[in-house]
Amino acid sequence: MMTAKDMTRTDLFAGIDEKGVNMLLGCLHAREKHFQKNDIIALEDDQIRFVGLVLDGTVNMVKEDIWGDETLLSFISRGEVFGETFALQKNTNSYVTFMAGEETNVLFMPANDIIHSCPDGCNCHAQITTNMFNILGKKGVMLMEKIEVSSRSSLREKILSYLSILVQKQGRRTVQSPLNRTRMADYLGVNRSAMTRELATMKREGIIDFDKNEYTVYAEEMEA
Amino acid sequence: MMTAKDMTRTDLFAGIDEKGVNMLLGCLHAREKHFQKNDIIALEDDQIRFVGLVLDGTVNMVKEDIWGDETLLSFISRGEVFGETFALQKNTNSYVTFMAGEETNVLFMPANDIIHSCPDGCNCHAQITTNMFNILGKKGVMLMEKIEVSSRSSLREKILSYLSILVQKQGRRTVQSPLNRTRMADYLGVNRSAMTRELATMKREGIIDFDKNEYTVYAEEMEA
DNA sequence: CCATGCTTGTTGCAATGGCAACACACTTTC
DNA sequence: GAAAGTGTGTTGCCATTGCAACAAGCATGG
């Protein structure tokens, strides 16, 4: 379970204290629901759109194409929000499906209550709006990073662009990758063994060095 | 130039009338600036972050890696908003750079004024907030579409996934592609001639049919 | 201790797909 | 009407990279 105190540590309720959270939960008409693994989580209910906060478990975001094949686009963990991209829009042909990845508890909040300040003018509400913008911004950046990486044509470019982002974020030429080989290959959308092979080649050529999940990028030329 | 009336037709000012727009422009402390081609457009000014509305011209969103190489991530046209993903966040290491693609006029509005209702409680302000959520949602969907497509491994899968999205959007098996061959290859991140080759193969195999920018997808099996 | 599972590195093989070069059609401009 | 620009289809070549199979390392658990 997730206590109000736990919630103050989520991005959605950031900057709001325990008391404020408890007040907001009522003000936002928050409702908790329980799901079994592989249950489909609907974000719409009688025309009202919801944003979900994962209280426990994991939610998988999957996309089905017209042949019925599913792709896992991303997953949402405890304390994270999902559905915001779709719920806050008018025109939503529900682009993706959300499924419980395990036994999961979700707190639903009507999108409208999040967007619009409540009539009582509770002042925590402004904070929620700010937080929502933050969350949307963060997600946007994550998506752009993924695009930057996967839109490169060669395997080597993908690796370098992934490492380049890490270097920019961590501010050092030696970086820790949060992803292990297998997951990294998955993220880059390439074959794992091909990636390992290319990494070895790049190491041999002196372009990069690595050990476990620590990588060092040797950039000869810094200026364009 | 862009009149207040033109602005009512943008996503940012959707649902607001001419009078409201004029009022908001003051209320939002909007400021217009002019740029020459290739000028760098800063979104920060003394710690204050801005959202930009393109009044005329084009703004290119480019990303520079640690070797100084630039990639064009997307471009923003007249009437569209940019910077919202970054401006509305706290933690912004300005992930990308915006450049004028030609002679361009931009209307800047401080992000804070957009997020927070003005003290006078002008009622158009709520609409702007709603609109911003809409814009962020739309952009999120666009980014996810691009990821879905470019994360496929084979050229054929990329094409099919691109077409699948069009089919889902247009609700018919025969769809119009907004992109011509060259741009489509660019969007999919593949070589144009390779794509033409694969399209021809798929046509020969009876999987799809196409003429100019109209494509028909023959899906034998609809159910998983 | 062994068994099992997970991650990583390696390598041969085959094919996918990038590249370059070219031909053709169509449009715009002078 | 020539010339230049742009979008498109085709094809040969071969580097890149996906795939499969295997070995080794390391943790977990009985």
Side-chain angles (χ1 to χ4, degrees):
Chain A
M1 273 317 307
M2 191 179 275
T3 64
K5 191 168 179 189
D6 291 332
M7 290 193 195
T8 63
R9 283 191 286 268
T10 63
D11 280 344
L12 183 61
F13 292 112
I16 301 176
D17 61 16
E18 221 169 314
K19 204 173 131 198
V21 168
N22 279 321
M23 203 171 77
L24 270 171
L25 289 182
C27 170
L28 292 174
H29 305 102
R31 267 193 336 204
E32 189 175 338
K33 272 201 183 171
H34 184 79
F35 296 92
Q36 299 297 332
K37 180 168 180 172
N38 292 333
D39 279 354
I40 290 186
I41 303 177
L43 285 174
E44 237 176 298
D45 179 20
D46 295 330
Q47 303 278 16
I48 300 178
R49 295 181 196 293
F50 293 89
V51 170
L53 171 68
V54 181
L55 299 179
D56 268 299
T58 314
V59 173
N60 291 328
M61 181 168 142
V62 299
K63 167 88 176 77
E64 186 170 341
D65 64 26
I66 56 174
W67 296 272
D69 296 326
E70 288 179 347
T71 327
L72 175 66
L73 282 182
S74 85
F75 61 92
I76 301 98
S77 312
R78 179 183 155 94
E80 293 177 338
V81 171
F82 68 96
E84 73 298 331
T85 309
F86 309 98
L88 305 174
Q89 278 193 95
K90 301 170 214 159
N91 151 42
T92 312
N93 329 32
S94 190
Y95 177 76
V96 299
T97 307
F98 294 95
M99 291 176 63
E102 53 191 300
E103 208 171 325
T104 299
N105 286 304
V106 176
L107 189 71
F108 287 103
M109 288 151 284
N112 277 330
D113 291 333
I114 290 189
I115 298 182
H116 306 297
S117 302
C118 47
D120 342 339
C122 98
N123 50 3
C124 298
H125 213 115
Q127 184 65 42
I128 284 276
T129 310
T130 307
N131 289 349
M132 274 311 307
F133 277 119
N134 248 305
I135 291 172
L136 283 164
K138 263 193 202 174
K139 292 226 178 174
V141 169
M142 279 173 48
L143 294 174
M144 282 190 242
E145 283 173 359
K146 168 109 185 171
I147 287 175
E148 195 204 340
V149 158
S150 57
S151 65
R152 300 306 174 106
S153 49
S154 76
L155 185 38
R156 174 169 298 201
E157 278 179 317
K158 285 181 208 218
I159 294 172
L160 285 176
S161 127
Y162 173 69
L163 293 179
S164 173
I165 291 176
L166 287 184
V167 167
Q168 288 177 335
K169 274 192 184 169
Q170 301 182 19
R172 303 191 306 132
R173 296 213 151 275
T174 299
V175 296
Q176 305 294 329
S177 167
L179 306 176
N180 63 26
R181 293 293 137 80
T182 307
R183 287 187 192 286
M184 177 170 153
D186 198 45
Y187 180 75
L188 301 187
V190 298
N191 183 279
R192 182 192 59 81
S193 65
M195 189 186 81
T196 307
R197 183 202 285 143
E198 186 61 27
L199 279 173
T201 311
M202 291 165 73
K203 189 185 217 169
R204 209 179 317 116
E205 292 180 15
I207 300 176
I208 61 168
D209 197 3
F210 61 90
D211 178 53
K212 310 262 182 197
N213 293 329
E214 179 172 289
Y215 299 82
T216 303
V217 184
Y218 303 120
E220 313 80 52
E221 27 175 6
M222 271 297 289
E223 277 319 284
Chain B
M1 271 317 307
M2 190 180 277
T3 63
K5 191 168 179 187
D6 290 332
M7 289 194 195
T8 63
R9 282 191 286 266
T10 62
D11 281 343
L12 184 61
F13 293 112
I16 301 176
D17 62 15
E18 223 170 315
K19 204 174 132 196
V21 168
N22 279 322
M23 203 171 77
L24 270 170
L25 290 182
C27 169
L28 292 174
H29 306 100
R31 267 188 341 200
E32 190 174 338
K33 272 200 182 171
H34 185 80
F35 296 92
Q36 301 296 331
K37 179 168 181 173
N38 291 334
D39 279 354
I40 289 185
I41 304 177
L43 285 175
E44 236 175 299
D45 180 19
D46 295 330
Q47 303 279 16
I48 300 178
R49 295 180 195 294
F50 293 89
V51 169
L53 172 68
V54 181
L55 299 177
D56 269 299
T58 313
V59 173
N60 291 327
M61 179 168 145
V62 299
K63 167 87 176 75
E64 187 170 340
D65 64 26
I66 57 174
W67 297 272
D69 296 328
E70 287 178 347
T71 327
L72 175 66
L73 282 181
S74 86
F75 61 92
I76 301 98
S77 311
R78 179 182 154 94
E80 294 177 338
V81 171
F82 68 98
E84 73 297 330
T85 309
F86 309 97
L88 304 174
Q89 278 193 96
K90 302 170 215 162
N91 150 44
T92 311
N93 329 29
S94 190
Y95 178 75
V96 299
T97 309
F98 294 95
M99 293 176 63
E102 54 191 297
E103 208 171 324
T104 299
N105 287 304
V106 176
L107 190 70
F108 287 103
M109 289 150 284
N112 278 329
D113 292 332
I114 290 190
I115 296 182
H116 304 298
S117 303
C118 47
D120 341 340
C122 99
N123 51 4
C124 296
H125 213 114
Q127 184 66 43
I128 285 276
T129 309
T130 307
N131 290 350
M132 273 311 307
F133 277 119
N134 248 305
I135 291 172
L136 283 164
K138 263 194 200 172
K139 292 224 178 175
V141 169
M142 279 172 50
L143 294 173
M144 281 190 244
E145 283 173 358
K146 169 113 184 167
I147 287 175
E148 195 203 339
V149 159
S150 57
S151 66
R152 299 305 172 107
S153 50
S154 77
L155 184 38
R156 174 169 299 201
E157 278 179 318
K158 285 181 208 221
I159 294 174
L160 286 175
S161 129
Y162 173 71
L163 293 178
S164 172
I165 291 176
L166 287 184
V167 167
Q168 288 178 334
K169 274 191 184 170
Q170 301 182 19
R172 302 192 308 133
R173 296 216 151 272
T174 299
V175 295
Q176 305 294 327
S177 167
L179 306 177
N180 63 25
R181 293 292 138 79
T182 307
R183 289 188 190 285
M184 177 170 154
D186 200 45
Y187 180 75
L188 301 188
V190 298
N191 183 278
R192 182 193 59 82
S193 65
M195 190 186 81
T196 308
R197 183 204 284 146
E198 186 62 26
L199 279 172
T201 310
M202 290 165 73
K203 188 185 217 168
R204 209 178 319 116
E205 293 180 13
I207 300 176
I208 61 168
D209 198 1
F210 60 91
D211 179 54
K212 310 260 182 202
N213 293 329
E214 179 171 290
Y215 300 82
T216 303
V217 184
Y218 301 122
E220 312 81 51
E221 29 177 3
M222 271 297 288
E223 278 319 285

